[in-house]
Amino acid sequence: MNDIINLNVKTFSKEFMFNLGELFALGKKVSINNIEEVNAKIAEERSLGYAKSFNMMINYWAQNSLFVNLKNIQPKNNNIFLICPVRNATEKEKADLHKLINLYEQSGYHVHYPERNTNQNPVVNGINTGGFNICAENAKAIAEAQTVVVFYNKQSTGSMFDLGVTYQLMQQDPKRKLILANNFEYDELNIIDQKLVHMLNMPKESEQSK
């Protein structure tokens, strides 16, 4: 479970971020092959005032030999995790998300909305984790959710990571399901569009038993 995976970090790549989410869900430790490039990127991000970034998070993950264990977390029927843009969400997206959340909560579901329910501060006990704690909290909330609802924004890097976590958990447990909350224009050349459609069409447990 705790295999160390050597990474060529490319946080600009949505496919890399999706695959990174899978590794996170699998409980892997990581090391960074292109550490000089990553350190240069982190220095640039800090000069711009970033408190967290995926470069910082992966570096913290690697330096501290960390992993997250989701193996024994059982999903709850009335739990929903909402994958959606957070930092760069538009006002219209936020309004649509609040309507969606209200709809589910009025129907008796417990919705984990990262902007509201995940502590977005990357600092833990005075140490900046780069956002590792945020990713861990989200991953555990995804593991606790029987249903994941995705409000798909192709520009949301965090959503790609969360989709990777979700995909791996769905692979392990066919009772889990993914619901798409908004329309998007499918691009057959977009690898995340492909993966999302695949996830939406993954057979459920009831279908597998036929």
Side-chain angles (χ1 to χ4, degrees), residues 24 28 30 52-54 56-62 65-68 121-122 124 128-139 161:
F24 203 78
K28 302 297 184 182
V30 299
K52 58 185 177 181
S53 75
F54 275 103
M56 296 177 191
M57 185 279 278
I58 297 167
N59 191 45
Y60 184 83
W61 180 2
S65 299
L66 300 174
F67 67 94
V68 172
N121 186 350
V124 178
N128 191 333
T129 72
F132 184 91
N133 61 313
I134 298 170
C135 292
E137 187 174 341
N138 280 340
F161 181 88

Side-chain angles (χ1 to χ4, degrees), residues 79-107:
N79 277 15
I80 287 175
F81 185 91
L82 181 57
I83 294 179
C84 59
V86 175
R87 182 167 51 186
N88 296 319
T90 66
E91 290 306 313
K92 183 181 185 309
E93 284 176 329
K94 288 180 180 180
D96 290 342
L97 287 167
H98 288 142
K99 289 178 184 177
L100 182 66
I101 292 164
N102 288 336
L103 181 65
Y104 277 115
E105 290 184 337
Q106 288 172 6
S107 298

Side-chain angles (χ1 to χ4, degrees), residues 1-7 27-32 62 65-66:
M1 175 178 173
N2 296 335
D3 300 339
I4 298 177
I5 306 299
N6 296 316
L7 298 178
K28 302 297 184 182
K29 297 179 181 180
V30 299
S31 65
I32 301 173
S65 299
L66 300 174

Side-chain angles (χ1 to χ4, degrees), residues 33-172:
N33 292 332
N34 57 331
I35 187 62
E36 291 184 2
E37 182 182 344
V38 170
N39 283 336
K41 188 64 179 176
I42 289 172
E44 178 186 342
E45 290 167 343
R46 285 177 174 158
S47 72
L48 294 172
Y50 288 27
K52 58 185 177 181
S53 75
F54 275 103
N55 286 298
M56 296 177 191
M57 185 279 278
I58 297 167
N59 191 45
Y60 184 83
W61 180 2
Q63 284 187 339
N64 293 278
S65 299
L66 300 174
F67 67 94
V68 172
N69 185 2
L70 305 179
K71 190 174 181 180
N72 297 318
I73 298 177
Q74 296 299 315
K76 299 177 183 177
N77 287 332
N78 69 330
N79 277 15
I80 287 175
F81 185 91
L82 181 57
I83 294 179
C84 59
V86 175
R87 182 167 51 186
N88 296 319
T90 66
E91 290 306 313
K92 183 181 185 309
E93 284 176 329
K94 288 180 180 180
D96 290 342
L97 287 167
H98 288 142
K99 289 178 184 177
L100 182 66
I101 292 164
N102 288 336
L103 181 65
Y104 277 115
E105 290 184 337
Q106 288 172 6
S107 298
Y109 289 96
H110 173 76
V111 179
H112 189 103
Y113 174 37
E115 184 178 35
R116 178 188 67 185
N117 301 112
T118 299
N119 180 0
Q120 298 294 327
N121 186 350
V123 177
V124 178
N125 296 325
I127 298 172
N128 191 333
T129 72
F132 184 91
N133 61 313
I134 298 170
C135 292
E137 187 174 341
N138 280 340
K140 289 175 181 176
I142 292 171
E144 291 171 348
Q146 186 72 58
T147 302
V148 172
V149 176
V150 54
F151 191 98
Y152 185 42
N153 179 321
K154 298 189 186 192
Q155 306 308 315
S156 173
T157 303
S159 292
M160 306 306 126
F161 181 88
D162 291 342
L163 281 169
V165 172
T166 303
Y167 177 71
Q168 189 51 234
L169 291 172
M170 290 175 70
Q171 290 277 85
Q172 298 171 25

